[in-house]
């Protein structure tokens, strides 16, 4: 159970930035090249790399390199797990930490 909390902390910290939330919103439509993300945002390439490093490190985003381009997509398994964890936090349930 504690591992679940630690992993959620890392992912929730990653969500605490408006640019990263915008990136995740864009990726919810499907895989994008870094250049496509940069076109929509008013940030530099090094700043995008910083944000993507955080999102990939916490497991919310997967990346792949094709030639010299980087492509990013949501890690649907992790986003679903985090969604379930947050839902559980705000729900009354038999497996609540207080039981």
């Amino acid at each position: 159970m504690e591992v679940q909390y630690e992993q959620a902390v890392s992912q929730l910290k990653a969500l605490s930035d408006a640019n990263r939330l915008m990136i995740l919103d864009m990726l919810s439509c499907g895989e994008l090249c870094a250049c496509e993300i940069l076109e929509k945002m008013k940030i530099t390439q090094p700043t995008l790399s910083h944000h993507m490093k955080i999102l990939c490190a916490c497991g919310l985003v997967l990346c792949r390199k094709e030639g010299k381009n980087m492509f990013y997509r949501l890690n649907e398994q992790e986003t679903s797990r985090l969604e379930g964890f947050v839902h559980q936090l705000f729900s009354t349930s038999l497996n609540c930490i207080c039981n």
Side-chain angles (χ1 to χ4, degrees), residues 15-85:
L15 296 177
S16 68
D17 180 90
N19 285 321
R20 290 193 286 271
L21 287 175
M22 290 172 57
I23 292 166
L24 290 173
D25 193 11
M26 290 173 23
L27 294 177
S28 71
C29 296
E31 183 177 73
L32 292 171
C33 177
C35 58
E36 294 171 304
I37 298 170
L38 281 172
E39 285 176 12
K40 304 273 188 212
M41 301 186 70
K42 294 180 177 163
I43 59 174
T44 64
Q45 189 278 326
T47 301
L48 176 63
S49 292
H50 169 75
H51 289 307
M52 298 316 295
K53 181 179 178 181
I54 291 169
L55 291 169
C56 291
C58 75
L60 292 174
V61 172
L62 300 172
C63 68
R64 68 179 178 87
K65 188 169 185 164
E66 188 175 299
K68 57 184 176 176
N69 294 322
M70 291 297 291
F71 290 86
Y72 299 98
R73 72 182 194 282
L74 291 181
N75 181 344
E76 292 185 21
Q77 182 178 352
E78 276 303 304
T79 56
S80 292
R81 192 203 58 72
L82 181 61
E83 182 180 5
F85 177 80

Side-chain angles (χ1 to χ4, degrees), residues 4 80-93:
Q4 188 178 14
S80 292
R81 192 203 58 72
L82 181 61
E83 182 180 5
F85 177 80
V86 170
H87 178 74
Q88 178 185 331
L89 280 177
F90 295 106
S91 301
T92 304
S93 64

